[in-house]
Amino acid sequence: SLKIGLPVAILVGLIFLLRADFLQVKNFEVVGAETISAESLKNTAQSLTSGNKFLVIPKSNVILLNKNNLANILLSDFSRIEKIEVGKQFFNRSIELKITERKADFLWCSGQDECFYMTKEGLVFEQQPAFAPAMAGKVIFRGILEGNPLMKNFATPAKIQNYLKLVEVFKNVGFEVSSINIESGDKAVAKTKIGDTTSDIIFNPEETDLSLVAQNTILLIKDTQIKNPSARFNYIDARFGNKLFYKLY
């Protein structure tokens, strides 16, 4: 009986130790939250540490708390989180959640005008609330993605940067690109304000350097306006190298 009783006593003592109040997480501290609600993060973390493992061992035990598991669940539940570091602070029995949020650099919008936030790397990560304030100066991207776009890549970072070359060259001469729609593998349309007219600039999204496409388009616009100052462009098709086709209103 002594051989049986000693292991049981050790096990019971260990369980009592693991259940001791001084080893339980009492607080979650959120660092780095800007758009995400810190309270929502705390509440989710607390719900993950409530209850028991194996009926008797508290999930809130600071020693046994699995940092990687907690981080992965929060990353899954909060798509705006790009990176999270979970730190244990034993003396004050708290857990620090240090997060880095994804930035809403652009919008991606579906054909039904449901819009989602997108990073500069091309990742669509969160739906824009219906009554969210307008994102002034942000380019809207369309096309390519089908179905639920969340956590999908609209394009590679290199392609996004190439599209932005076109946007920047136009911006430098006072032409504002409001949206880019990738309609197919060889056709994209940039809605561009030229003076008081919004025109379609058609280009090949697979073009290596779209800044050259923008420069050629600007030359055409300037040359046409010199000959006809009142010229208003319906569209300019710049998919064929130095040969540009256009239609005026």
Side-chain angles (χ1 to χ4, degrees), residues 24-239:
Q24 308 313 309
V25 175
K26 296 299 181 183
N27 182 49
F28 288 89
E29 180 184 355
V30 177
V31 178
E34 298 175 15
T35 307
I36 298 173
S37 165
E39 283 304 310
S40 294
L41 268 175
K42 288 181 183 180
N43 290 339
T44 301
Q46 285 170 347
S47 69
L48 294 171
T49 56
S50 63
N52 296 316
K53 294 179 181 179
F54 312 115
L55 300 178
V56 291
I57 301 174
K59 292 181 181 179
S60 60
N61 184 282
V62 70
I63 296 173
L64 298 182
L65 187 140
N66 188 314
K67 295 193 296 182
N68 290 334
N69 185 51
L70 176 59
N72 288 335
I73 292 174
L74 293 176
L75 283 169
S76 175
D77 287 0
F78 295 85
S79 59
R80 187 175 278 266
I81 297 177
E82 181 175 20
K83 184 172 68 174
I84 182 167
E85 296 175 20
V86 179
K88 295 181 180 181
Q89 299 176 346
F90 292 95
F91 292 109
N92 57 8
R93 294 180 290 170
S94 69
I95 301 295
E96 181 184 73
L97 305 173
K98 188 176 181 180
I99 68 169
T100 302
E101 292 188 9
R102 292 188 169 95
K103 303 297 182 185
D105 297 299
F106 310 106
L107 287 175
W108 178 88
C109 296
S110 69
Q112 291 73 42
D113 281 331
E114 280 188 309
C115 292
F116 301 77
Y117 297 125
M118 186 172 82
T119 68
K120 63 184 178 182
E121 289 80 23
L123 178 68
V124 177
F125 65 90
E126 184 179 286
Q127 185 165 7
Q128 183 188 41
F131 300 102
M135 294 177 65
K138 300 287 188 182
V139 178
I140 295 173
F141 288 90
R142 301 178 185 275
I144 297 181
L145 299 177
E146 296 180 356
N148 183 356
L150 288 175
M151 304 311 291
K152 292 180 181 177
N153 286 295
F154 167 77
T156 65
K159 284 188 175 182
I160 293 290
Q161 291 307 308
N162 197 23
Y163 301 150
L164 294 180
K165 286 181 182 179
L166 179 137
V167 173
E168 190 64 23
V169 172
F170 281 139
K171 183 179 179 181
N172 288 339
V173 295
F175 301 160
E176 182 182 351
V177 176
S178 59
S179 68
I180 292 177
N181 184 6
I182 313 299
E183 295 186 359
S184 65
D186 61 359
K187 183 182 180 182
V189 179
K191 291 284 184 185
T192 308
K193 192 169 185 182
I194 304 171
D196 59 355
T197 304
T198 298
S199 307
D200 287 349
I201 309 299
I202 304 170
F203 64 92
N204 186 338
E206 298 299 323
E207 189 74 40
T208 305
D209 188 353
L210 288 173
S211 64
L212 296 178
V213 172
Q215 290 166 12
N216 288 337
T217 303
I218 290 167
L219 287 174
L220 170 68
I221 293 169
K222 297 296 185 186
D223 287 346
T224 305
Q225 289 178 335
I226 288 172
K227 299 172 186 175
N228 179 7
S230 62
R232 297 167 61 242
F233 291 87
N234 183 330
Y235 70 80
I236 300 171
D237 194 336
R239 289 178 292 173

Side-chain angles (χ1 to χ4, degrees), residues 12-31:
V12 171
L14 180 60
I15 290 173
F16 271 101
L17 179 61
L18 292 174
R19 293 180 63 87
D21 187 66
F22 70 88
L23 288 180
Q24 308 313 309
V25 175
K26 296 299 181 183
N27 182 49
F28 288 89
E29 180 184 355
V30 177
V31 178

